[in-house]
């Protein structure tokens, strides 16, 4: 698993889109027992914090100290610095295991072997995420060109799984057909730029070139954004599975 987000951990925590109560409530409705949950690659803990309202105890793991330092807190969340593929948890421990916006960074074979070890036989495994958002036509044009052309060579190859809406990831589970969800946010221009700044490809560009590529589109994007309603719409990616018998 790669650590692409320690550098911008505070930006990530502040500007990344959150998951609505609607999708969390839907997930909760699918889980028969609500004792122990695990959020893998928890990042800033946004999913762990929501699960904590429904489960007795939530464990949350990440490989980034800086992400964990910026994570949401609750009395029943236990954070651990651990790799997704190799954990210290007991066999058949969890009623629910979630991975939000991170599955594409994992060693699939090693991680799924671990899921099969630590998930209860009647437990649920859930992958969540979101791809490139849509907004007003003019801002969309600028952002898509920036995403595909300016940053094209700076995206990690694993990003292709997100671009394919997680449909091409290995998924060795009995899959449950999931509802479709979308999230709509109203963002200031500052928030829009903060979100784009959190992209891993932007950080790769900065590291290689010593300048922020967002500066190349900032003025043009601000002009289009200021004329719009500030809406950003994300189609949520969701796959739900149980252990194969």
């Amino acid at each position: 698993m790669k650590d692409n987000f320690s550098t911008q951990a505070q930006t990530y925590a502040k500007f990344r889109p959150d998951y609505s109560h609607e999708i969390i409530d839907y997930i909760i409705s699918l889980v028969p027992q609500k004792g122990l949950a695990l959020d893998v690659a928890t990042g800033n803990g946004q999913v762990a914090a929501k699960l904590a309202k429904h489960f007795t105890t939530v464990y949350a793991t990440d490989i980034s100290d800086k992400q964990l330092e910026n994570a949401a807190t609750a009395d029943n969340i236990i954070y651990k610095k651990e790799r997704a593929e190799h954990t210290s948890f007991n066999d058949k421990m969890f009623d629910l295991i979630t991975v939000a916006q991170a599955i594409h960074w994992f060693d699939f074979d090693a991680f799924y072997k671990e899921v099969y070890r630590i998930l209860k036989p009647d437990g649920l495994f859930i992958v969540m995420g979101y791809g490139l958002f849509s907004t007003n036509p003019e801002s969309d044009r600028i952002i898509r060109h920036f995403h595909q052309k300016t940053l094209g060579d700076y995206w990690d190859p694993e990003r292709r799984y997100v671009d394919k809406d997680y449909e091409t990831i290995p998924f060795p589970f009995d899959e449950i057909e999931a509802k479709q969800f979308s999230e709509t946010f109203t963002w200031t221009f500052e928030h829009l730029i903060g979100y784009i700044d959190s992209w891993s490809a932007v950080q790769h560009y900065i590291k290689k070139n010593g300048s922020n590529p967002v500066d190349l589109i900032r003025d043009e994007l601000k002009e289009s954004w200021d004329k719009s309603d500030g809406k950003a719409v994300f189609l949520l990616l969701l796959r739900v599975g149980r252990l194969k018998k």
Side-chain angles (χ1 to χ4, degrees):
M1 179 182 175
K2 294 182 178 178
D3 180 7
N4 275 339
F5 301 100
S6 285
T7 302
Q8 69 272 33
Q10 289 185 325
T11 300
Y12 193 102
K14 184 176 181 181
F15 295 111
R16 282 284 170 136
D18 203 353
Y19 295 91
S20 71
H21 292 292
E22 182 183 12
I23 191 170
I24 298 297
D25 288 346
Y26 171 69
I27 290 169
I28 295 302
S29 73
L30 300 175
V31 185
Q33 304 296 325
K34 299 173 180 63
L36 299 183
L38 170 63
D39 185 42
V40 181
T42 194
N44 59 20
Q46 58 177 239
V47 172
K50 287 183 166 60
L51 295 178
K53 297 177 181 179
H54 303 276
F55 284 81
T56 303
T57 303
V58 174
Y59 289 85
T61 62
D62 206 281
I63 60 172
S64 167
D65 286 320
K66 289 186 178 180
Q67 286 279 32
L68 294 175
E69 288 168 5
N70 286 276
T73 58
D75 290 340
N76 61 334
I77 301 178
I78 300 172
Y79 288 104
K80 288 177 172 285
K81 183 182 179 182
E82 293 193 349
R83 299 187 66 82
E85 299 89 348
H86 303 284
T87 73
S88 60
F89 301 115
N90 294 330
D91 293 355
K92 299 177 175 55
M93 183 171 171
F94 293 104
D95 300 296
L96 172 68
I97 297 176
T98 57
V99 184
Q101 199 67 11
I103 190 75
H104 50 290
W105 302 120
F106 295 176
D107 176 329
F108 291 115
D109 289 342
F111 175 63
Y112 287 144
K113 182 178 179 181
E114 191 71 348
V115 171
Y116 265 79
R117 184 181 72 80
I118 64 178
L119 185 64
K120 291 180 179 179
D122 62 345
L124 205 67
F125 174 69
I126 290 185
V127 172
M128 292 183 284
Y130 44 82
L132 185 61
F133 65 96
S134 60
T135 180
N136 68 84
E138 183 61 18
S139 296
D140 267 350
R141 180 189 64 78
I142 298 166
I143 293 167
R144 275 161 172 68
H145 184 272
F146 179 72
H147 184 278
Q148 296 166 8
K149 301 298 183 181
T150 307
L151 298 180
D153 293 335
Y154 295 90
W155 291 107
D156 293 272
E158 295 91 340
R159 175 73 192 186
R160 69 186 185 276
Y161 291 114
V162 180
D163 295 335
K164 295 293 186 180
D165 298 334
Y166 280 164
E167 292 176 359
T168 59
I169 63 169
F171 201 75
F173 301 92
D174 285 331
E175 188 158 9
I176 299 168
E177 186 175 353
K179 287 178 62 177
Q180 290 190 334
F181 293 87
S182 64
E183 302 275 14
T184 300
F185 303 94
T186 301
W187 283 350
T188 63
F189 182 70
E190 177 191 23
H191 196 115
L192 172 69
I193 291 297
Y195 172 62
I196 295 174
D197 265 331
S198 77
W199 290 356
S200 58
V202 169
Q203 301 306 312
H204 292 331
Y205 186 106
I206 292 171
K207 186 175 181 180
K208 182 176 181 179
N209 299 291
S211 61
N212 191 331
V214 178
D215 292 338
L216 300 173
I217 62 168
R218 188 182 302 271
D219 291 344
E220 184 184 16
L221 186 56
K222 186 176 191 308
E223 183 179 351
S224 69
W225 197 257
D226 287 348
K227 294 186 294 185
S228 76
D229 58 6
K231 292 286 194 298
V233 181
F234 289 83
L235 177 66
L236 294 186
L237 318 179
L238 182 63
R239 298 192 69 174
V240 181
R242 299 189 188 280
L243 301 182
K244 288 182 179 291
K245 304 298 185 185

